[in-house]
Amino acid sequence: WKRIGKKWSSDVDHFVNKKKELAAEVAKDTASTDTPEAKLRKLYARAQQIRNLDFEDQKSEREAKQEQIKPNKNAEDILQHGYGHSLDINFLLIGLARAAGFEAAEVRVAPRSGMYFVPARESARDLSAEVVWVRAGSKEYYLDPAAAYYPFGVLPWYETATPGVRAIKDGSESIMTPAPVSTDSTIVRHADVAVGADMQISGKVQVDFTGQEAATRRYDDRDEDDAGRKKTLAQEIKGWLPVGST
């Protein structure tokens, strides 16, 4: 783990070795009066503006050539291209955070949706999910801007409460990502209805999804148009109501 941690750390350092360009981006996206968390939130939002190629259907060589998709060799490339893969986007946040004066590093974890991490196995492949660790001010944050639909401070559930490795220059450190908080994933239903003389109920129902609940729906319906998303939501709400409801 010491050897692999050094390699991962070196890969990050090489990618973000564009201090001038990253500092200019930080100056453009943040204000000197921002608190550390406010600054980090803005940098997270900037990283999430990058188009994530991993969320798109795989392109043929001809399609990629027509669209002029080029690989990102460093942080400057991803800022100029405006697109990248998940690892590129997370590395960009590390570079921006460091340029803002924060400590930042790559963290690789075993997603608890299907893997139990046993360090003694010495299998780096078990750590198949990447997140970003940042110390801003007196607080530590675990973030995943590449998970495009997740708000600041909220990780996909499979990256929460799971062990992993933080890559540092001298090797690696074992970590455990924070446990999910119930308030990070809610469904809140509001109803303004009237009961008629015939006992028929009519009115308006509003549903608010937050955090992981909202992100999951956005991800599942990312390829749908507005009409398709409305249809999916209507079907879900209809499932909560008595048979025959409209």
Side-chain angles (χ1 to χ4, degrees):
W1 292 116
K2 184 173 183 178
R3 175 183 58 80
I4 197 68
K6 283 184 176 181
K7 181 185 183 305
W8 287 341
S9 178
S10 176
D11 290 343
V12 174
D13 291 345
H14 177 74
F15 191 87
V16 304
N17 189 25
K18 291 290 181 177
K19 296 181 180 179
K20 180 181 176 181
E21 292 78 9
L22 289 168
E25 187 65 37
V26 169
K28 184 172 67 174
D29 298 330
T30 65
S32 59
T33 54
D34 287 338
T35 64
E37 181 171 305
K39 185 172 289 189
L40 184 57
R41 282 178 177 272
K42 290 179 179 179
L43 298 179
Y44 180 84
R46 177 67 182 94
Q48 283 201 318
Q49 291 174 359
I50 301 298
R51 171 185 165 195
N52 192 331
L53 299 175
D54 291 337
F55 284 6
E56 301 176 6
D57 293 335
Q58 187 172 2
K59 292 178 171 57
S60 66
E61 185 176 342
R62 181 179 179 181
E63 289 173 328
K65 188 175 182 180
Q66 287 177 337
E67 200 173 341
Q68 297 183 329
I69 298 291
K70 300 176 182 178
N72 294 312
K73 298 179 180 179
N74 52 56
E76 182 182 15
D77 283 352
I78 191 172
L79 287 171
Q80 291 180 346
H81 294 156
Y83 58 73
H85 294 283
S86 296
L87 196 61
D88 297 338
I89 295 170
N90 284 351
F91 280 12
L92 174 62
L93 180 60
I94 293 173
L96 292 171
R98 289 179 180 179
F102 305 141
E103 294 180 68
E106 179 193 14
V107 172
R108 299 208 182 189
V109 299
R112 62 190 180 104
S113 54
M115 178 58 66
Y116 183 76
F117 178 52
V118 180
R121 274 170 42 87
E122 297 186 352
S123 174
R125 289 181 298 178
D126 292 350
L127 303 177
S128 58
E130 300 94 8
V131 299
V132 175
W133 170 85
V134 181
R135 189 195 305 277
S138 59
K139 294 182 64 176
E140 293 186 17
Y141 301 83
Y142 286 89
L143 307 167
D144 188 356
Y149 306 103
Y150 287 81
F152 178 87
V154 177
L155 292 174
W157 72 269
Y158 53 84
E159 294 177 347
T160 62
T162 189
V165 167
R166 179 167 63 219
I168 58 176
K169 291 185 183 297
D170 295 331
S172 63
E173 295 176 341
S174 297
I175 61 93
M176 176 73 72
T177 57
V181 180
S182 59
T183 53
D184 286 343
S185 182
T186 66
I187 304 176
V188 182
R189 302 173 180 88
H190 313 264
D192 183 7
V193 299
V195 182
D198 58 356
M199 300 305 292
Q200 292 294 310
I201 299 175
S202 62
K204 179 180 179 181
V205 174
Q206 176 180 316
V207 188
D208 298 331
F209 302 94
T210 71
Q212 292 179 344
E213 284 288 347
T216 299
R217 283 166 172 77
R218 289 193 179 104
Y219 179 81
D220 290 343
D221 293 339
R222 66 190 184 281
D223 294 328
E224 296 284 353
D225 58 13
D226 190 52
R229 288 191 290 271
K230 285 183 178 180
K231 182 179 179 181
T232 299
L233 184 57
Q235 289 174 337
E236 180 172 356
I237 294 175
K238 193 172 180 179
W240 303 338
L241 305 174
V243 175
S245 301
T246 58

